[in-house]
Amino acid sequence: MEEGKLHETDVSEDVDLIICIANLIKIEEHFLNSYQTTKKEEYLALSDIIRKIRGEIMKKWLEKYNLEGDDWCAIKHILSTFYGLREVAQKLISIAIEKNDEKTLEYCKLILDKSSEIYSFLINFLNEKTKK
């Protein structure tokens, strides 16, 4: 059985961590947006706490890959893009269903396809780094 799985039907540890880290990135962004909207400094502190947690998890996860310089930052942006596209697609699904709008549903499918491409790009990128 693949490392990081408890059962054969489980997703890999990498998949779980990709989703987790992408969510942490979005939590950071939401707290920053909340600060910008409310000017309550508590949101800056919350964002910093989440950023540190995300950084610790990313560092531990990425130790198995041979990363150079800006790779860490690029991975963060790739994950953010992947998750952002999925959030857009989810909103479009709701709109398409509510309005029975085939054009919006097709656009949603395109966005989901692009999200999958970004995910595949990340996996390929990490696999290439492992080979070096």
Side-chain angles (χ1 to χ4, degrees):
M1 191 169 353
E2 188 178 331
E3 184 180 338
K5 288 186 171 189
L6 297 174
H7 189 272
E8 288 186 21
T9 59
D10 282 348
V11 297
S12 71
E13 179 182 322
D14 275 354
V15 171
D16 280 337
L17 285 170
I18 285 168
I19 299 299
C20 173
I21 294 166
N23 272 295
L24 288 168
I25 292 166
K26 287 301 176 182
I27 292 167
E28 287 177 62
E29 291 175 6
H30 281 289
F31 281 143
L32 291 176
N33 289 340
S34 293
Y35 167 74
Q36 289 177 312
T37 303
T38 67
K39 300 301 183 208
K40 292 181 181 176
E41 291 187 12
E42 65 194 65
Y43 290 114
L44 297 176
L46 292 170
S47 179
D48 188 54
I49 290 167
I50 297 299
R51 181 178 184 276
K52 288 175 182 168
I53 292 169
R54 190 233 340 128
E56 290 173 23
I57 292 170
M58 275 185 78
K59 181 179 179 185
K60 189 69 178 164
W61 173 57
L62 294 173
E63 281 178 357
K64 63 183 167 183
Y65 302 103
N66 297 316
L67 298 175
E68 302 166 359
D70 288 337
D71 290 345
W72 170 283
C73 190
I75 289 168
K76 177 187 170 223
H77 289 286
I78 292 166
L79 287 168
S80 182
T81 301
F82 158 74
Y83 198 78
L85 288 170
R86 294 179 67 82
E87 282 189 333
V88 169
Q90 186 59 55
K91 289 176 187 175
L92 291 172
I93 290 169
S94 296
I95 293 167
I97 291 172
E98 184 179 304
K99 295 183 178 183
N100 197 23
D101 182 349
E102 190 64 32
K103 187 175 180 180
T104 300
L105 187 58
E106 288 305 311
Y107 182 52
C108 169
K109 291 175 185 178
L110 172 72
I111 297 295
L112 283 172
D113 287 345
K114 294 303 172 189
S115 174
S116 292
E117 285 179 36
I118 295 291
Y119 178 83
S120 294
F121 175 83
L122 174 63
I123 298 303
N124 290 333
F125 179 80
L126 291 173
N127 286 336
E128 285 299 315
K129 289 295 180 177
T130 305
K131 291 178 187 177
K132 291 182 180 179

